[in-house]
Amino acid sequence: ENTILLYFTIAGFSISIFALFLTLTIHSVFVELRGPLPGKNLMSLCFALLLAQFMWLFGSGDTDKPTFCTIMAVVMHYLVLVSFGCTAVIAFDTRRTFSGQISKAQSRSLGKSRNLRFLAYSCLAWGVPLLFVAGCALLDHFQVVFIGYSNEVACWIVSSNGTIVTFATPIACVLIYNFGAFTHTVWAINSARKETHRVKSSREDQRAVFKIYVRLGSLMGFTWFFGFC
């Protein structure tokens, strides 16, 4: 309904899709980037975001095809929740990495055990949203609960109550968990710096630590807090 916002959306998604594709390509080429567990978690997040934004950009406006529009709404709902599931996995794994007790165990988790952990992470990030969205779609399809997947205006969740319960609430829960994990990670990093007597280090070192915090906050989806304002 707003032409300016429409162009902002198209431009923003186009830039983001290009950046996500570039990130996935670089990580696929260089084994030192995709090999470690954090690199794989990042690729999973980028892939989910790429699919969600691509489908939103090219499929969310086909309101003249009701069945297809409903399917697109359900799939996009799933992919967005998967993206937040991936941020929760990154938050958990980052907290785990900087935890003093678990870091000792992590040094022994190489090879197959690391692949098994990534498999477990993938099952959580991609499997839990699948069960949740499938349940929502069935409840909406059989008119047990009205969620409102698509109408003549948009291929998305059109019910305000449905948006709050099935979209905003899960995202809010993930963001709260991510913030808790981020706080624990910051505390662990500061504790490690105190032990190595680097709290009063140079400005360059402090800037480097600050950049780490900014990157972690970005990966954990903290910019979405603005969406609740």
Side-chain angles (χ1 to χ4, degrees), residues 88-155:
V89 164
I90 291 175
F92 174 82
D93 190 65
T94 302
R95 184 201 61 81
R96 183 183 188 279
T97 300
F98 286 97
S99 175
Q101 295 180 350
I102 306 178
S103 61
K104 297 178 182 179
Q106 188 183 26
S107 62
R108 299 191 297 268
S109 62
L110 302 174
K112 293 183 178 180
S113 58
R114 182 174 296 176
N115 292 331
L116 288 176
R117 186 178 305 129
F118 175 69
L119 180 61
Y121 286 166
S122 299
C123 289
L124 289 173
W126 292 80
V128 173
L130 178 62
L131 296 176
F132 179 77
V133 174
C136 292
L138 290 174
L139 291 175
D140 184 72
H141 177 73
F142 291 105
Q143 300 180 350
V144 178
V145 177
F146 177 71
I147 297 175
Y149 282 114
S150 78
N151 59 9
E152 66 279 358
V153 177
C155 302

Side-chain angles (χ1 to χ4, degrees), residues 139-199:
L139 291 175
D140 184 72
H141 177 73
F142 291 105
Q143 300 180 350
V144 178
V145 177
F146 177 71
I147 297 175
Y149 282 114
S150 78
N151 59 9
E152 66 279 358
V153 177
C155 302
W156 184 239
I157 305 173
V158 297
S159 168
S160 57
N161 291 332
T163 302
I164 293 173
V165 174
T166 66
F167 184 72
T169 300
I171 289 176
C173 292
V174 171
L175 289 177
I176 292 172
Y177 170 78
N178 289 358
F179 184 76
F182 176 81
T183 303
H184 186 275
T185 302
V186 171
W187 175 83
I189 292 176
N190 288 335
S191 298
R193 295 181 70 211
K194 287 181 180 179
E195 292 179 0
T196 56
H197 306 286
R198 297 191 64 183
V199 177

Side-chain angles (χ1 to χ4, degrees), residues 191-210:
S191 298
R193 295 181 70 211
K194 287 181 180 179
E195 292 179 0
T196 56
H197 306 286
R198 297 191 64 183
V199 177
K200 297 181 179 180
S201 55
S202 64
R203 289 186 177 181
E204 292 184 359
D205 183 65
Q206 293 177 358
R207 289 175 181 174
V209 174
F210 178 74

